[in-house]
Amino acid sequence: MRPVPSGMRASSLPAFFLSEDTKAGEPRLQREDEQHAARVLRLRPGDSLVGLDGRGGRHPLRVRAVRKGLLELEVAGPVEVVPGPGEADAALPWFEVAVAWPRRNRVESMVGRLVQLGAAAIRPLAAHHRGPEEVPADAAPRLARVVREACKQSGRSWLPVLEPPLTPVELARHRAEPVMAVLDPLAGLSLDTWLRSLLPAPIGLGTRARPIVLVIGPEGGLSEEERDALLACDASLTWLGPHVLRVETAAEAAMAIAAVVHGRPEDPSRCGVRVSPD
């Protein structure tokens, strides 16, 4: 591992996700991204781009040829590795946003913004007072595409985890040492004050094993049982504002505050590089 010289960083180049069956020395883009690169951006032989693997790797690539709308790519340099959420020198700790799912027509924009803001994990919260629509058991392919597009737009190198839904009671029992803030307009503690009281570290709090969980209940509020279960596991009630917000507004505002309190710009000199095998 060695530092990345700032001149090597390819953040200004177009970025696309690599196909899951990409082999060493034979880079391929996901079909949808390849079509966009070839037909919309009209990349030509000699053009440079970045391949994302969704696990922090940024692969410098170059177009070798274009045949029948398909790109033949070649490796153009060593792989830049960006630390993941909660790792040493990462831009953010591991924040999980557990949010009561809004109506279907508001879900995609909410998820896209949470990805841009740096949420490491997004979990549907199947609260008792949720709306009429059921919480999806699995992330739809469309939602996965929204996540990828938000990563490319925001320059993220790590795909967030789309967690399976849990009820608030299940969430309270899900981890041995949960660190949670539950948004409540009547709370006496502000969210930013609570966040500043935390000391995230790569070997402890703010990692995937022990995430910082931001809990956003439905607009109708949590039931007494749900609230008691969260308080029983030492969740903190925190204040975000004086009014009742839409769930997606509250989730995005909470993640934005978390990013300001605990975030920092990605520093190329702190990233590591590995050289792809021949």
Side-chain angles (χ1 to χ4, degrees):
M1 305 291 283
R2 59 181 173 82
V4 180
S6 59
M8 290 178 58
R9 191 164 175 83
S11 58
S12 61
L13 297 175
F16 306 94
F17 277 95
L18 295 168
S19 173
E20 293 182 359
D21 61 357
T22 286
K23 300 178 182 178
E26 301 178 18
R28 291 182 53 201
L29 302 182
Q30 289 191 6
R31 181 63 175 167
E32 187 177 286
D33 279 12
E34 183 177 44
Q35 292 177 345
H36 182 78
R39 299 178 182 177
V40 179
L41 297 186
R42 298 183 180 277
L43 297 187
R44 293 293 180 258
D47 287 346
S48 297
L49 63 147
V50 174
L52 305 174
D53 58 23
R55 300 179 300 278
R58 298 179 62 86
H59 301 246
L61 305 174
R62 185 165 43 244
V63 179
R64 183 170 54 206
V66 182
R67 305 183 191 279
K68 297 181 179 180
L70 301 179
L71 301 180
E72 292 185 10
L73 303 172
E74 59 186 6
V75 176
V79 180
E80 180 183 331
V81 181
V82 178
E87 295 179 356
D89 299 321
L92 278 169
W94 188 285
F95 284 103
E96 175 181 317
V97 180
V99 54
W101 230 225
R103 289 185 178 274
R104 190 174 306 170
N105 62 344
R106 288 149 49 189
V107 166
E108 292 182 5
S109 59
M110 177 190 73
V111 169
R113 293 187 185 108
L114 290 176
V115 173
Q116 294 172 53
L117 289 165
I122 303 169
R123 184 186 299 279
L125 194 64
H128 179 70
H129 293 151
R130 66 180 183 270
E133 297 184 22
E134 291 294 323
V135 175
D138 299 302
R142 171 60 188 166
L143 202 56
R145 289 195 293 272
V146 168
V147 168
R148 291 195 299 270
E149 290 302 315
C151 280
K152 291 187 291 186
Q153 185 276 328
S154 61
R156 281 189 65 167
S157 302
W158 283 83
L159 283 168
V161 179
L162 297 176
E163 299 281 14
L166 291 176
T167 67
V169 174
E170 291 170 336
L171 181 65
R173 300 169 179 167
H174 186 59
R175 300 184 185 277
E177 297 181 87
V179 180
M180 297 185 188
V182 180
L183 298 191
D184 185 334
L186 301 179
L189 177 68
S190 68
L191 177 63
D192 69 305
T193 299
W194 180 81
L195 286 165
R196 293 179 197 281
S197 73
L198 306 178
L199 296 173
I203 59 173
L205 177 62
T207 62
R208 184 168 189 177
R210 197 180 177 209
I212 302 169
V213 185
L214 306 177
V215 181
I216 297 92
E219 291 160 24
L222 297 170
S223 70
E224 184 175 349
E225 179 189 9
E226 293 168 337
R227 181 187 174 97
D228 289 346
L230 292 168
L231 291 178
C233 71
D234 293 328
S236 298
L237 298 180
T238 59
W239 180 83
L240 185 61
H243 305 122
V244 177
L245 305 175
R246 278 189 167 183
V247 288
E248 65 270 26
T249 304
E252 294 160 21
M255 189 60 228
I257 293 171
V260 169
V261 172
H262 286 294
R264 62 181 176 185
E266 288 185 354
D267 183 353
S269 68
R270 294 177 178 269
C271 298
V273 163
R274 67 177 182 271
V275 179
S276 300
D278 295 332

